[in-house]
Structure formats: C-alpha cells, structure tokens
C-alpha cells in the first residue's frame, strides 16, 4: 500500500508558527451518539446509583450484612469516584501542546490511514462506537487520544487499569482526558463488580462518547496478538443483546511502532524479571528517552464491524422482552457467540497492521544468526529485503513504502542501541551491552538467570520482539512447510491433519479461531504453490525446492517449537502435581545451560516466559494438565500420557530444522536432561 494512503499528522505541527494556537482552537468534535442535552461524567455515576439493578444489590448486601442503605450508597459513590472518568478541556489542550512538542522531538512521523478514519467519523452519531486498538505500549493511551484531538473526534471514554490510577498526578491527568479505571481483580467485592458493570452499561446505553478498550486485556510483551479477553466485550454487548441500543459499531485499530519505548523492559519481563511498579517518579525518569529517536508510529483504522450485521439471525433478542429489563442478563446462547466477534476483531487488527522495514530487517537478521551468519553486508541485506517485501505483499501485508537504502539507514539510526555496524559495513547484533544488575530472586517469575545470560539474551529478545509482529502473515505457510519437511510427501487431507494439529498446539501463540483453520490452510497452500515453495505431484504435496523463504519460514518458528518441546520434556521428569513456576524455572534453567555452553546456537527467545506460559495454557486446553490455585500458588496436575503425546507430536517436526543446519539443537537439549 502506498504511503499516500497515510497522513503524517505531525507534518502540520512542523510548519506551525505557534502550536499553542492549534491546541486552543475552537473545537467541533464528532460524538458517537448525538444527544441533547449531552450527558456529563457525573450523570453516569448518578445513573448507576439510581439504577434498579444496583438498588436491588444494595438491598441484598444490606440484608446480608445488616448495613444501613445510606452507608452502602456512600461506599458505592466511593467506588464510582474510583472508577469514573472526568473531562477537562483545559487538561486536554495542555496535553495536546506537550505531546506535539514531545512527538516532534522523538518521532519522525505519526501516520494514520486518514481516509479510513474520516469514513468512520462520517458514520458516527447514531449508535455506540467502540474503538478496539491493539495494545503494544503505554503510549497507546495518549497518542490514540492525540489522533482524535487532531481529527476533531470526541476523545473516548478509555478503559484503563488501576495501575495508573495510583500514580500521583498521572492517574488524575488520564482521568481528566477520559480514562475510567478497572481493578485487575475484585475478590468477593460484589458491590464493586456490580457497580463497574453497570457503569460500563451506562456509558454504552446512555453516553454520547465513543468507548475505547484493549481486547487483549494488557500490553503484549511479545509484540504479537494475544488471545482476546471476554470481560469488557461481554459488558458492552449486553446493551445490544437486551435491545437497548439498535446497533454497536466495533472499530478494530492496529497500532505499530518502529521502536517501542518499553523494548528493554519487555525483554527483561519475557526472561522473568518483573516490571517495576508504575510510579510517578518512574514516569518522569522515562523522560530521558526524549534524547533518543523512536522512528514512526502507524495507526490503521479498519472497517467498523456492525454488531447487528455480524450476528444477523444467529439469536433471538425477543427473549429479553418479557419481565423487567434490569433482571435480564446475557444468556448462554449469546455468550457462545461472543468469542467469534472477539477473534474477528483481533483478526482485523492483524490484517491491517503496518509492516515497517525494520520488521523485515529483524526477520532477516534472526534467520542469518540462526544459520550461523552473525553479520551481513548492506547490499546483501537490501537484496533480502526486496525478496521478503515482494513475498509479504503476496501474503497480504501492508508495507510502509520507502526507498530500501534510506529505510535501512533510518532503521539503523533508530535502533543503534540494538544493531551494530562494523568498519567493514557489516551489520549485526550488539553483544553484552545491557545489564540489569542485582535482582531479588524472590520476585523472579522463572529461573534465576545469571547476569551473563541476561546480558547475552536481551538483544536477541529485543530483535525477536520486532520480528514477531509479522509472523501472523505467514505462520500458516510455516506450519505447512515444517510438516512437509518433516514427513515428506502428503496428500491434502493428511497435510491438513498435520496443519490442524500444529495450529492447535500453538493456539495461544498464534491467535486464530479453530473454525477458520481450513480456510487459512487452503489460502496458505495456494500461496506456497504460487510461489513455488511447494508443488503438487500425483495428488500429493512436497517441497518444491530449498529456497530462501522456506529457510525464513522454518527459522521464524524454531524458538517456539523448541520452547514447547523443552516443556514437554521437562514435565516428564517432574512430579505429577507441580507448581507452575517450577515448570517455567526448570525449562529456563535447562535452556540456559544449553545456551551457555555455546556449542551450537540456541535462540534465547526459547526462554521467553510468554511462550513457555502459552505452552502450559495449551496443555490445559488440551486436557493434558489441570490448573488450580492453592494457598496463593498456581499448581498443575499433569496427565503424563497426554504430555507424552505432545512430545511425540513435536518430535515429528524436528527434522525440518535440518534445512537451517540446526537439528543438533535437540540432541544437545536431550543431553542436558
């Protein structure tokens, strides 16, 4: 897609004589639903307090605890003050000015597919509009609102975690720009849970603002899409299921960064070193980053999903027409439909994501390092980018176009903390430049990795973070290639069985609804055939030839297969009832020992707790493990027979790694057990 499809909204600010004049301009913002009079933040709190649903819950709590109604109502108002958003135009204007200055200093551009956004803006006014961006950085919150301020769209009511609310000054600033806060857990506080649900219900039914929430629930440390959470989308859809609104528009938004502010932090977290608690002092310490360059940020607003059209005749809303409406809840039939919408939102976020040239560079360097080639020349890198760029286009990716040599130069400047250029012009990864220092072992989420291991691993973790966002484009092709390289020639039915098995194993790693497996398999089969990576002869498929892209496909999935294989091996040696943390620590310990010997290259991303945790989630979903919480610890009950089946499945696909001369990895891993 050409760059003319995107508008750099920093460009006008670069040419402004006085940015403050722009920040204080007269506003005529577009709302989600036109109402007269417009509701204000306090109206929503009062609506919750006076709702029949909450009134009944207050009576129930009073009867159970023998509390006075007025006392419970005071407690409720404290909860609503904790949860509810406010709006201060003065704060919004000041922030727009500060953000303009900051973004001009650290970013080369903030690009938006403005035609897509203006199309959405033109349809707003008649029903609730829910913006659902991908969540890759804390910067998503403020920059997303900045985009809305730029285009004269009312800044949404934004669902935010309580982490921010406790930050002196920062929490109140976010609240004044529309953030409403939710606890990560509420225990047995039924009043809080009921109040929060009713508050969201009021925002959707009786509010005129758009609503913004992150369907993944938290930032993705891996920079990949995560399995969607259903809590907030359940609350939002209740208004539609109960016929209280005619429709709800969900707008998937993809947010991509040339360089993430949290890249170091995420790499440490993936290795098991916990993030520091959000604090105001930490927020101001992060301002030292304004001396660095972070490249561009890309926003792509996808076509809105009409709830009415999406669900069509899949259920009967008239079932909720009998009896008082406040007594109705979403029924089981409706709950079963929600995952389809949630996964569709994630899918549309993925297909509208913008691929930068550094994503391609990260993929290339990862492949080269896996093959044992630590450095690459500038011209060789440019040629490999050309190959991948054409291939990615065929797989449906949106490439943010630039001259290749200019893009390489810009990428090396933005990522000079990660990429090194030698005197001979060879490009490689920095080594041993990042140190975490002493860490309290009690706070570690996995194994107590040595400082040497952490220092060695962090650059690889960071590099993989930038390769990960593009994996969803060709993961289906990679799984097919791995299956064929491992088993030889297969007919289409048998090949699909292998594909379906691998897709199920990596269901938490590469998000896709199971009912879509067949469609994605057929599309990948067609693309691999058209690019002559596989061929069909006598009703059977086989690898056409060992080419560059096949190598990239296999090397890109190698750390994930290795992680899952190690977990399966480790679980064969541990007790049948084991603490989850011990499994994670044991897998990391084994991999650290194998990596530290430096006999062969083992990608440190195999130690990612995100991936190891996804493997355990897969085992629970497959029935190979049962997860329970006991005395504050997460325990796993293991089914050894099922674990053995997973191990056997993964061993089937190991021979594919001979293509990149790394098959000895698994011999080496076995020797460590």
């Amino acid at each position: 897609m050409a760059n003319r499809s995107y508008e750099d909204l920093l460009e006008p600010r670069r040419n402004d004589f006085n940015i403050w004049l722009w920040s204080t301009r007269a506003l005529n913002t577009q709302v989600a639903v036109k109402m007269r009079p417009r509701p204000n933040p306090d109206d929503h709190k009062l609506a919750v307090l006076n709702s029949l649903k909450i009134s009944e819950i207050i009576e129930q709590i009073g009867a159970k605890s023998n509390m006075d109604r007025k006392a419970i109502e005071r407690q409720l108002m404290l909860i609503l003050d904790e949860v509810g958003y406010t709006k201060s135009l003065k704060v919004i204007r000041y922030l727009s000015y500060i953000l303009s200055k900051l973004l001009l200093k650290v970013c080369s551009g903030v690009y938006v597919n403005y035609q897509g956004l203006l199309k959405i803006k033109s349809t707003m006014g008649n029903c609730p509009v829910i913006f659902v961006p991908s969540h890759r950085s804390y910067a998503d919150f403020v920059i997303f609102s900045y985009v809305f301020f730029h285009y004269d769209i009312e800044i949404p009511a934004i669902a935010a975690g309580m982490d921010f609310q406790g930050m002196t000054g920062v929490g109140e600033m976010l609240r004044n720009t529309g953030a409403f806060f939710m606890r990560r857990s509420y225990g047995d506080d039924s009043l809080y849970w009921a109040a929060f649900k009713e508050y969201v219900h009021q925002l959707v039914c009786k509010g005129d603002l758009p609503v913004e929430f992150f369907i993944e629930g938290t930032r993705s440390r891996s920079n990949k899409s995560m399995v969607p959470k259903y809590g907030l989308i359940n609350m939002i859809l209740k208004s539609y299921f109960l016929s209280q609104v005619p429709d709800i528009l969900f707008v998937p938004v993809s947010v991509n960064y040339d360089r993430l502010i949290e890249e170091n932090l995420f790499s440490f977290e993936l290795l098991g070193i916990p993030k520091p608690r959000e604090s105001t002092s930490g927020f101001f310490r992060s301002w030292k980053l304004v001396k660095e360059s972070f490249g561009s940020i890309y926003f792509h607003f996808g076509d809105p999903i009409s709830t009415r059209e999406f669900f069509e005749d899949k259920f009967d809303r008239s079932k909720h027409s009998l009896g008082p409406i406040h007594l109705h809840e979403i029924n089981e039939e409706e709950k079963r439909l929600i995952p389809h919408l949630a996964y569709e939102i994630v899918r549309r976020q993925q297909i509208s994501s913008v691929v930068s040239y550094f994503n391609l560079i990260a993929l290339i360097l990862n492949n080269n390092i896996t093959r044992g080639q630590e450095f690459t020349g500038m011209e060789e890198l440019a040629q490999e980018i050309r190959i991948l760029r054409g291939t990615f286009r065929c797989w449906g990716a949106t490439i943010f176009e630039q001259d290749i040599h200019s893009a390489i130069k810009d990428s090396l400047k933005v990522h000079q903390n990660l990429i090194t250029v030698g005197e001979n012009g060879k490009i490689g990864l920095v080594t041993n430049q990042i140190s975490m220092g002493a860490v309290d072992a009690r706070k570690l989420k996995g194994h107590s990795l040595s400082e040497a291991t952490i220092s060695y691993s962090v650059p690889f973790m960071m590099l993989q973070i930038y390769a990960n966002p593009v994996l969803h484009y060709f993961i289906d092709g990679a799984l097919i290639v791995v299956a064929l390289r491992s088993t030889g020639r297969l007919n289409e039915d048998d090949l699909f069985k292998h594909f379906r098995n691998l897709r199920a194993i990596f269901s938490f790693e590469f998000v896709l609804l199971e009912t879509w497996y067949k469609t994605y398999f057929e599309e990948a089969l067609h693309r691999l055939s058209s690019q002559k990576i596989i061929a069909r002869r006598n009703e059977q498929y086989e690898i056409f030839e060992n080419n560059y892209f096949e190598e990239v496909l296999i090397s890109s999935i190698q750390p994930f297969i290795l992680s899952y294989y190690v977990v399966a091996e480790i679980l064969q040696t541990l007790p049948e009832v084991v603490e989850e943390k011990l499994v994670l620590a044991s897998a990391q310990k084994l991999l650290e020992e194998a990596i530290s010997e430096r006999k062969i290259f083992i990608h440190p991303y195999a130690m990612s707790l995100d991936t190891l945790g996804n493997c355990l989630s897969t085992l629970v979903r497959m029935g190979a493990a049962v997860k329970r919480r006991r005395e504050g610890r997460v325990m796993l009950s293991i089914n050894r027979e099922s674990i053995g089946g997973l191990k056997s499945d993964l061993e089937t696909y190991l021979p594919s790694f001979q293509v990149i001369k790394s098959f000895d990895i698994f011999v080496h891993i076995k020797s460590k057990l």
Side-chain angles (χ1 to χ4, degrees):
M1 185 178 291
N3 281 357
R4 64 176 178 271
S5 300
Y6 292 85
E7 177 178 73
D8 178 11
L9 39 104
L10 291 186
E11 190 61 34
R13 305 291 76 80
R14 291 190 186 95
N15 301 319
D16 274 347
F17 173 73
N18 189 332
I19 293 175
W20 181 245
L21 291 178
W22 171 77
S23 296
T24 56
R25 73 192 187 277
L27 297 174
N28 182 24
T29 52
Q30 177 65 56
V31 295
V33 182
K34 294 176 182 176
M35 294 182 178
R36 289 292 181 268
R38 290 191 63 183
N40 63 50
D42 286 337
D43 290 337
H44 295 307
K45 295 178 185 178
L46 290 173
V48 173
L49 181 64
N50 296 324
S51 71
L52 292 173
K53 182 81 173 176
I54 293 298
S55 181
E56 287 191 357
I57 288 171
I58 289 174
E59 288 181 10
Q60 292 168 10
I61 292 173
K64 186 182 294 185
S65 62
N66 200 27
M67 282 181 68
D68 177 66
R69 183 181 181 91
K70 291 293 183 184
I72 300 173
E73 287 181 350
R74 285 195 295 272
Q75 187 179 339
L76 175 62
M77 286 309 297
L78 289 174
I79 291 171
L80 292 173
D81 287 340
E82 174 192 299
V83 169
Y85 79 89
T86 58
K87 271 289 181 77
S88 169
L89 187 55
K90 182 187 291 187
V91 172
I92 290 169
R93 290 189 187 280
Y94 273 114
L95 278 177
S96 72
Y97 175 76
I98 293 168
L99 270 173
S100 295
K101 292 285 191 178
L102 182 62
L103 291 170
L104 286 170
K105 190 171 181 63
V106 303
C107 291
S108 51
V110 176
Y111 292 94
V112 178
N113 65 325
Y114 63 98
Q115 292 175 341
L117 180 55
L118 293 181
K119 180 181 175 183
I120 293 162
K121 182 180 177 181
S122 68
T123 64
M124 292 171 67
N126 301 313
C127 69
V129 179
I130 316 297
F131 289 92
V132 195
S134 56
H135 197 12
R136 302 294 177 264
S137 170
Y138 277 150
D140 298 340
F141 285 98
V142 289
I143 302 177
F144 199 82
S145 295
Y146 183 81
V147 170
F148 279 55
F149 184 80
H150 176 88
Y151 286 104
D152 279 349
I153 299 173
E154 194 68 46
I155 292 175
I158 308 163
M162 285 298 293
D163 308 345
F164 293 106
Q165 200 269 345
M167 294 172 65
T168 305
V170 175
E172 201 56 35
M173 177 188 70
L174 291 174
R175 193 188 298 277
N176 277 320
T177 58
F180 65 96
F181 296 95
M182 57 189 297
R183 298 176 188 172
R184 296 293 182 189
S185 61
Y186 60 92
D188 58 357
D189 191 342
S190 58
L191 183 61
Y192 175 86
W193 183 234
F196 184 82
K197 287 201 296 183
E198 186 63 24
Y199 184 79
V200 172
H201 187 63
Q202 291 294 332
L203 289 181
V204 177
C205 276
K206 306 296 183 183
D208 66 345
L209 299 181
V211 175
E212 174 192 339
F213 80 103
F214 301 105
I215 200 163
E216 296 163 297
T218 185
R219 291 172 299 166
S220 171
R221 274 68 173 170
S222 66
N223 214 9
K224 294 191 286 89
S225 295
M226 298 189 297
V227 173
K229 304 292 191 299
Y230 304 138
L232 266 174
I233 197 171
N234 260 307
M235 298 179 208
I236 291 167
L237 284 171
K238 178 182 175 181
S239 303
Y240 176 73
F241 288 140
L242 270 57
S243 301
Q244 293 174 295
V245 293
D247 196 5
I248 299 176
L249 297 181
F250 286 89
V251 183
V253 186
S254 170
V255 187
N256 302 96
Y257 296 83
D258 275 345
R259 180 183 170 193
L260 289 163
I261 296 172
E262 301 99 327
E263 59 180 7
N264 265 3
L265 184 65
F266 286 169
S267 298
F268 286 123
E269 284 190 65
L270 290 172
L271 289 170
I273 299 163
K275 69 172 181 176
R277 186 183 177 191
E278 282 77 13
S279 66
T280 305
S281 60
F283 173 77
F284 283 110
R285 280 198 302 272
S286 69
W287 280 74
K288 66 181 182 180
L289 296 171
V290 299
K291 297 177 182 178
E292 302 182 35
S293 172
F294 287 85
S296 296
I297 304 169
Y298 312 93
F299 286 82
H300 189 103
F301 290 79
D303 291 333
I305 303 170
S306 162
T307 303
R308 184 177 61 233
E309 293 176 6
F310 187 84
F311 291 126
E312 291 184 295
D313 300 324
K314 293 185 175 70
F315 69 99
D316 182 9
R317 288 202 289 174
S318 67
K319 291 179 180 178
H320 294 292
S321 61
L322 300 176
I325 194 68
H326 73 278
L327 296 178
H328 287 257
E329 294 291 342
I330 297 176
N331 59 41
E332 292 303 314
E333 178 189 9
E334 291 157 349
K335 285 180 182 177
R336 283 194 292 270
L337 295 172
I338 291 174
H340 294 270
L341 177 59
Y343 274 84
E344 177 65 16
I345 290 170
V346 173
R347 188 185 76 86
R348 294 201 191 189
Q349 288 175 346
Q350 289 179 329
I351 62 178
S352 63
S353 62
V354 178
V355 176
S356 72
Y357 274 65
F358 190 70
N359 294 135
L360 302 182
I361 291 171
L363 207 60
I364 291 165
L365 291 181
N366 249 337
N367 181 53
N368 290 347
I369 292 169
T370 302
R371 286 188 295 136
Q373 180 183 339
E374 293 187 18
F375 298 94
T376 186
M378 195 74 74
E379 282 305 317
E380 183 183 0
L381 180 61
Q383 181 57 32
E384 289 175 331
I385 287 174
R386 289 188 187 96
I387 295 170
L388 281 189
R389 181 180 63 181
T391 304
F392 267 87
R393 283 175 179 157
C394 293
W395 287 73
T398 299
I399 309 285
F400 194 81
E401 290 301 339
Q402 285 178 273
D403 169 73
I404 287 180
H405 289 91
S406 297
I408 293 174
K409 182 180 177 181
D410 292 344
S411 294
L412 296 181
K413 180 181 178 182
V414 169
H415 295 277
Q416 58 185 316
N417 64 316
L418 180 61
I419 305 299
T420 180
V421 182
E423 293 180 2
N424 56 2
K426 294 285 187 178
I427 300 166
L429 202 60
V430 300
T431 56
N432 300 320
Q433 291 189 12
I434 302 169
S435 176
M436 186 66 186
V439 179
D440 187 347
R442 293 170 300 178
K443 295 182 179 180
L444 295 174
K445 297 182 179 180
H447 176 57
S448 182
L449 300 171
S450 71
E451 189 170 343
T453 298
I454 293 170
S455 181
Y456 169 76
S457 301
V458 165
F460 292 101
M461 306 299 283
M462 287 169 62
L463 190 67
Q464 185 69 39
I465 282 171
Y466 292 105
N468 280 343
V470 301
L471 297 186
H472 67 267
Y473 282 112
F474 58 74
I475 182 61
D476 301 299
L479 297 180
I480 289 172
V481 166
V482 164
L484 286 175
R485 268 296 172 199
S486 303
T487 60
R489 303 174 68 186
L490 291 168
N491 63 41
E492 186 168 329
D493 288 342
D494 289 337
L495 182 55
F496 177 64
K497 289 177 183 176
H498 283 279
F499 174 85
R500 184 177 58 201
N501 187 38
L502 282 166
R503 257 299 186 181
I505 290 172
F506 294 113
S507 58
F508 285 88
E509 208 68 58
F510 305 103
V511 179
L512 190 70
L513 203 60
E514 187 176 354
T515 53
W516 298 339
Y517 285 2
K518 186 67 173 177
T519 300
Y520 274 62
F521 168 75
E522 291 171 349
E523 289 178 358
L525 209 59
H526 172 73
R527 284 171 174 150
L528 290 171
S529 299
S530 64
Q531 293 173 343
K532 294 184 169 47
I533 296 170
I534 65 173
R536 185 176 181 179
R537 296 189 180 94
N538 300 321
E539 302 300 315
Q540 289 189 314
Y541 286 94
E542 62 184 2
I543 298 293
F544 183 75
E545 60 184 25
N546 186 358
N547 59 33
Y548 174 72
F549 189 57
E550 180 198 355
E551 200 176 79
V552 171
L553 289 175
I554 292 176
S555 66
S556 69
I557 198 174
Q558 186 190 56
F560 303 100
I561 293 182
L562 178 56
S563 291
Y564 281 51
Y565 177 77
V566 167
V567 170
E569 284 277 23
I570 285 290
L571 287 173
Q572 299 289 324
T573 67
L574 294 175
E576 290 188 359
V577 178
V578 62
E579 187 178 0
E580 182 182 59
K581 182 177 178 179
L582 178 60
V583 179
L584 300 175
S586 299
Q588 281 192 320
K589 183 175 185 291
L590 174 67
L591 286 161
E592 179 184 32
E593 291 173 358
I595 289 169
S596 63
E597 290 183 2
R598 301 287 198 275
K599 290 183 178 179
I600 54 176
F601 176 73
I602 295 175
H603 202 301
Y605 195 79
M607 292 190 293
S608 163
L609 287 186
D610 184 78
T611 300
L612 297 171
N614 283 340
C615 179
L616 295 181
S617 296
T618 294
L619 294 175
V620 171
R621 175 179 281 183
M622 292 168 57
V626 177
K627 185 181 290 190
R628 293 186 179 90
R629 187 168 292 276
R630 183 188 301 169
E631 298 177 352
R633 298 187 300 166
V634 178
M635 306 299 294
L636 294 169
S637 299
I638 304 302
N639 181 323
R640 291 200 183 281
E641 185 177 346
S642 297
I643 299 295
L646 173 66
K647 178 174 170 287
S648 176
D649 287 342
L650 291 169
E651 285 179 335
T652 300
Y653 306 114
L654 304 188
S656 68
F657 285 48
Q658 290 174 318
V659 172
I660 49 175
K661 303 175 182 178
S662 299
F663 183 65
D664 285 346
I665 283 177
F666 299 95
V667 176
H668 191 52
I669 291 296
K670 277 181 175 292
S671 73
K672 308 305 295 180
L673 286 164

